[in-house]
Amino acid sequence: MSPFPSKKCGVLGCTGSVGQRFILLLANHPHFTLHAVGASSRSAGKTYKEAVRWKQATSMSEALGSLVVRECIPSEFEGCDLIFSGLDSDVAGEIGLLASLLFVLITAEEKPETAFLKANHRVLSNASSHRQNPLVPLIVPTINTSHFSLIPHQRTHYSLSTGFLVCNSNCAVIGLVIPFAALQAAFGPISTASIVTLQAVSGAGYPGVSSMDILDNTIPFIKGEEDKIQPEARKILGTLNAEQTGFAMQEGLRISATCNRVPVLDGHSACVALKFEKQPPPSVEKVKAALSGYVSEAQKMGCPRAPERAIVVMEEPDRPQPRLDRDMQDGYGVCVGRVRVDESGIWDLMFTALSHNTIIGAAGSSIINAEAAVLMGYA
């Protein structure tokens, strides 16, 4: 195997919580180096230390703090091999479903990610704006790196030679679809699932949820969150068509979701109940073996940051717990516990899943996606 090449990286939205996580993960990456950081025009021209309210547990290095923040326009990021976007969805912009279907180009007041794509940059986005676009792969690197095969069609559509736009999924979805993928690989399609999430405050960004709202409390509603879970899961767990020009969603998968904000800093938990299409369902022992034995696509490919174990099965009756387990596999793994049969007979299987919402659930997924793109020859 040839050595993994070094790549210069840029980060859009560098002052936000996801942008900060991108920068922290890139600082310790063996092959990716931080070359440029971008934020809003009010931050452009300042040093990063002046522009950011640093909220990471690791101290900011002197070299990082001295970087000059640039505007989020393509000309400011020349020389970058990869662009990571931590922009908020309302800022990131959208290509537009109708525009994609009608082959209409957006020309007026393009928002950053669209502009970077059309300027032939390789963009890896954490924003939700493009996730359901039929021209944009929605990739969880431990599941569906095969969806990178849509990139040649995307490039043809936008007359690109080297650029692309790839998204990672919603932070709550990622922690669900990884165990779903392992189970479906072993036992066939899941037909129905009920999900109750317990989502950390870091998922709301900074300053996020008011302390007066979240202390001594849980909030049984997160705007827009429940609407993302079924569509994103269906796209991720689906396949490309034979021509590799579009997606065949897993339309038979039905998910009922309730999303809650809880007073936890990092780590999204999900209480899952599901039913398989094929009956009778597998035993708990077989389910645990399928989950713990799952080897991710990113691991097979040799991505440097791919977790050694994409899924860690926990036997303790009171695990996983965010404070104890969110950093499992350096935050790139999903912990699954309380695997059990539903004694009521309504569901085939129940379990609790935990994932680090800003690592595998956000910036970390984009970084492994970038590694996969390099190894597959797209970057």
Side-chain angles (χ1 to χ4, degrees):
M1 183 182 293
S2 58
F4 196 102
S6 297
K7 298 290 180 181
K8 292 182 179 179
C9 303
V11 174
L12 309 181
C14 64
T15 58
S17 58
V18 175
Q20 290 182 38
R21 182 63 73 172
F22 270 126
I23 286 169
L24 193 62
L25 295 177
L26 288 170
N28 298 313
H29 199 279
H31 308 291
F32 294 165
T33 57
L34 185 62
H35 181 69
V37 294
S40 65
S41 55
R42 67 177 177 272
S43 296
K46 297 178 181 178
T47 65
Y48 187 60
K49 186 174 182 178
E50 294 170 334
V52 70
R53 297 188 69 177
W54 186 251
K55 294 296 176 182
Q56 304 302 311
T58 302
S59 299
M60 183 191 309
S61 69
E62 185 175 340
L64 172 58
S66 64
L67 283 176
V68 176
V69 177
R70 311 181 188 197
E71 288 200 59
C72 293
I73 55 177
S75 59
E76 290 287 305
F77 285 76
E78 294 300 326
C80 288
D81 301 305
L82 299 163
I83 302 293
F84 294 102
S85 175
L87 293 168
D88 290 338
S89 296
D90 57 347
V91 175
E94 56 187 348
I95 299 173
L97 178 59
L98 182 61
S100 299
L101 294 175
L102 297 178
F103 288 79
V104 176
L105 294 177
I106 298 171
T107 57
E109 298 184 3
E110 289 181 333
K111 291 189 176 181
E113 290 183 357
T114 307
F116 274 80
L117 170 68
K118 293 183 180 178
N120 239 340
H121 281 284
R122 304 174 186 94
V123 183
L124 298 112
S125 172
N126 185 68
S128 64
S129 308
H130 314 280
R131 290 176 186 159
Q132 290 303 317
N133 191 289
L135 290 172
V136 178
L138 179 60
I139 296 178
V140 175
T142 51
I143 298 177
N144 64 327
T145 52
S146 60
H147 289 194
F148 273 107
S149 298
L150 186 77
I151 287 177
H153 176 62
Q154 185 190 83
R155 285 174 172 170
T156 298
H157 177 74
Y158 288 105
S159 301
L160 306 173
S161 56
T162 58
F164 63 72
L165 173 61
V166 168
C167 292
N168 59 263
S169 185
N170 169 270
C171 50
V173 174
I174 286 177
L176 300 171
V177 294
I178 294 173
F180 278 23
L183 293 173
Q184 292 197 148
F187 309 116
I190 295 166
S191 62
T192 313
S194 176
I195 312 295
V196 178
T197 70
L198 308 170
Q199 297 183 218
V201 293
S202 59
Y206 182 85
V209 184
S210 165
S211 61
M212 291 292 288
D213 290 329
I214 198 63
L215 289 176
D216 189 34
N217 202 20
T218 61
I219 301 172
F221 176 71
I222 303 174
K223 185 178 180 180
E225 199 78 352
E226 292 161 0
D227 297 336
K228 298 171 185 174
I229 290 179
Q230 179 173 280
E232 291 190 21
R234 284 177 167 180
K235 185 173 182 179
I236 293 162
L237 295 170
T239 59
L240 288 180
N241 61 24
E243 298 77 23
Q244 298 188 327
T245 58
F247 297 98
M249 311 289 188
Q250 188 176 324
E251 297 290 355
L253 176 62
R254 297 180 300 160
I255 301 176
S256 173
T258 300
C259 296
N260 304 272
R261 189 72 71 193
V262 298
V264 169
L265 184 59
D266 290 313
H268 286 357
S269 300
C271 301
V272 180
L274 60 82
K275 201 168 188 67
F276 292 99
E277 283 187 9
K278 185 179 178 181
Q279 296 293 314
S283 67
V284 167
E285 290 72 23
K286 288 182 178 179
V287 165
K288 289 180 180 179
L291 292 170
S292 60
Y294 178 72
V295 180
S296 72
E297 293 185 10
Q299 184 181 348
K300 293 175 185 176
M301 198 181 302
C303 294
R305 284 294 182 257
E308 183 178 340
R309 298 163 67 192
I311 302 170
V312 178
V313 176
M314 312 195 81
E315 296 292 349
E316 299 90 337
D318 61 349
R319 303 282 281 275
Q321 298 179 25
R323 189 173 63 189
L324 301 179
D325 303 314
R326 60 192 168 209
D327 292 318
M328 189 74 68
Q329 300 289 294
D330 295 325
Y332 290 99
V334 174
C335 296
V336 175
R338 300 208 66 214
V339 181
R340 63 202 189 277
V341 171
D342 178 15
E343 298 296 341
S344 75
I346 298 172
W347 303 100
D348 293 338
L349 183 70
M350 302 176 75
F351 61 84
T352 299
L354 170 71
S355 57
H356 197 304
N357 54 294
T358 68
I359 301 182
I360 190 60
S365 267
S366 283
I367 286 175
I368 304 179
N369 279 343
E371 294 172 349
V374 170
L375 290 170
M376 296 174 78
Y378 293 116

